[in-house]
Amino acid sequence: GHIVRNWKVRWFVLLQDKLLYYKIEGGKKEPSPKGRILLDGCTITCPCLEYENRPLLIKLKTKTNTDYFLECCSREERDSWALDITGAIHAGHPVQVQELHRMKNSFKLLDNISLHDIVKRMYDSSTGIKLTRNLDQGNRYKETFTGSALVDWLISNSFAVSRFEAVTLASMLMDENFIRPVGARSTEAMRFSDPSEKFLDDSTALYMFAESGKKNTSSKEEVQFNISELSGTIVKQGFLVKQGHKRKNWKVRRFVLRADPAFLHYYDPTKEENKPVGGFSLRGCLVSALEDNGVPAGVKGNVQGNLFKIITKNDIHYYIQASSKAERVQWIEAIKPLT
């Protein structure tokens, strides 16, 4: 809302030159829309992280510098709307429409940037792309990332200014064998003759570094941390209960919060060696308390309450329980300034 900054469900209709929104689904019973956003001269930001706890935002800034924040119901829906709105913004300008269609084939890297530079940044433990384990049609893949996560990362690190450019850049990385598709969804896309359709900006399409498949590391060697990320000043530490990503079980972990650089690491208190079993950069993260009335979606098992959630910039969700509401508040207040 523009006057009262609350969030309301609206039915949106995208036209060639404007975005209309209605109070009632379908808009059929309303004589006129509740409002309209003129797309001529608009700029679009996606993903937009200006609002905490809302990772599915699209931001539209009109040529009169009015900001609109629109929240979608899923990552796929957000990216689909962003793609269509971008097309509509340029639709009134024939020259820009032609540029839009040529963008993927004409995209060029900046003179001072190479694909090797991008891959090196992707590998960086603090600012690089987050690697996760994924299951696809019964097959388990380690150290993977999704197509949409790579597109988000390329844009947020200023290697591309739009999703069109980011997809083109990702396709170049794949053509040069820096990354490769894994799983049915991304592998199937390789059969397309059109180069622009070979890489998928999709949260179900999996990719990995081309060299990852050649590494044979034991499970103890899988989690490695850069010395620099463990060198920050300790801001806060203590025991919390964390939900596992794979089995969704809850385990006590000793958490250590560091600044400069800002990282949150967690340790297994049953092990004598003082090495973290996990951790992540807090840059671009969202942290919020979860209400205690009912179990939130994504949370399973024995939940005692005092929950809070951290969403990384790569859309990885961490669910954590504190021993009391006061402790939960203390952790959230300590983490927020470092995001």
Side-chain angles (χ1 to χ4, degrees):
H2 286 293
I3 300 175
V4 180
R5 298 289 181 176
N6 54 354
W7 296 84
K8 295 180 179 179
V9 176
R10 292 289 181 254
W11 178 265
F12 279 81
V13 177
L14 176 62
L15 303 180
Q16 184 174 355
D17 60 343
K18 65 179 71 74
L19 190 61
L20 308 179
Y21 52 94
Y22 298 82
K23 185 176 182 180
I24 301 174
E25 181 176 342
K28 295 179 180 178
K29 298 181 180 180
E30 297 178 64
S32 60
K34 291 283 293 183
R36 68 191 71 216
I37 304 171
L38 299 179
L39 298 177
D40 181 34
C42 259
T43 57
I44 183 170
T45 303
C46 179
C48 172
L49 299 176
E50 290 190 29
Y51 273 84
E52 294 181 354
N53 314 325
R54 296 182 182 274
L56 302 177
L57 283 185
I58 296 171
K59 178 183 177 181
L60 291 176
K61 180 184 282 292
T62 68
K63 64 180 180 181
T64 57
N65 290 325
T66 301
D67 291 337
Y68 291 88
F69 295 91
L70 315 177
E71 182 176 39
C72 301
C73 297
S74 68
R75 189 170 189 149
E76 290 77 15
E77 188 180 62
R78 178 198 70 181
D79 295 345
S80 177
W81 272 100
L83 181 66
D84 291 337
I85 291 172
T86 301
I89 288 173
H90 297 297
H93 308 275
V95 174
Q96 291 187 16
V97 172
Q98 294 174 11
E99 286 298 318
L100 204 59
H101 288 295
R102 290 201 304 262
M103 192 178 295
K104 290 181 180 178
N105 296 324
S106 62
F107 172 68
K108 293 182 179 179
L109 282 171
L110 297 174
D111 292 337
N112 61 335
I113 297 293
S114 69
L115 292 181
H116 289 277
D117 295 328
I118 294 174
V119 174
K120 186 177 179 181
R121 285 277 298 277
M122 288 175 67
Y123 269 110
D124 191 281
S125 59
S126 59
T127 60
I129 192 163
K130 181 72 173 180
L131 302 178
T132 60
R133 297 183 180 185
N134 283 284
L135 182 67
D136 184 89
Q137 296 189 351
N139 296 317
R140 294 186 183 279
Y141 299 99
K142 299 178 181 179
E143 298 183 330
T144 62
F145 47 88
T146 66
S148 55
L150 178 55
V151 170
D152 288 349
W153 185 87
L154 290 169
I155 294 173
S156 64
N157 285 273
S158 302
F159 290 119
V161 298
S162 69
R163 302 192 80 80
F164 293 102
E165 287 192 2
V167 167
T168 303
L169 186 50
S171 299
M172 294 166 65
L173 290 170
M174 198 160 56
D175 290 340
E176 295 294 329
N177 202 35
F178 287 110
I179 64 173
R180 64 183 181 88
V182 291
R185 186 90 169 82
S186 56
T187 303
E188 177 67 22
M190 289 294 290
R191 300 180 183 179
F192 287 107
S193 58
D194 186 350
S196 65
E197 297 178 350
K198 289 185 177 181
F199 181 88
L200 299 177
D201 179 7
D202 192 298
S203 63
T204 62
L206 301 180
Y207 299 88
M208 68 190 307
F209 290 113
E211 295 182 355
S212 298
K214 302 175 184 178
K215 296 178 181 178
N216 294 314
T217 57
S218 66
S219 58
K220 291 183 179 179
E221 294 174 326
E222 285 176 9
V223 181
Q224 297 182 354
F225 298 93
N226 192 306
I227 296 177
S228 64
E229 69 182 73
L230 296 171
S231 64
T233 304
I234 296 179
V235 176
K236 184 176 177 61
Q237 58 181 315
F239 291 96
L240 298 166
V241 183
K242 172 187 167 294
Q243 180 178 262
H245 288 290
K246 186 177 179 181
R247 297 181 180 178
K248 304 297 182 183
N249 54 348
W250 293 88
K251 293 182 179 180
V252 175
R253 292 289 182 256
R254 180 172 66 88
F255 280 79
V256 177
L257 178 64
R258 293 181 172 89
D260 299 324
F263 273 85
L264 184 62
H265 293 99
Y266 47 94
Y267 300 73
D268 186 344
T270 65
K271 295 182 179 180
E272 293 183 2
E273 58 182 9
N274 192 31
K275 293 182 179 180
V277 294
F280 50 92
S281 169
L282 291 173
R283 178 188 173 193
C285 281
L286 304 174
V287 57
S288 64
L290 297 177
E291 297 299 329
D292 294 334
N293 52 343
V295 179
V299 175
K300 297 181 180 180
N302 185 21
V303 180
Q304 303 296 327
N306 305 314
L307 278 170
F308 63 98
K309 178 172 68 172
I310 300 175
I311 305 176
T312 70
K313 67 175 184 178
N314 295 315
D315 203 23
I316 306 299
H317 293 226
Y318 289 86
Y319 295 97
I320 302 170
Q321 294 187 57
S323 60
S324 66
K325 287 187 177 180
E327 185 182 43
R328 177 174 67 179
V329 170
Q330 291 172 7
W331 273 99
I332 292 175
E333 290 182 348
I335 292 171
K336 275 188 176 180
L338 302 177
T339 60

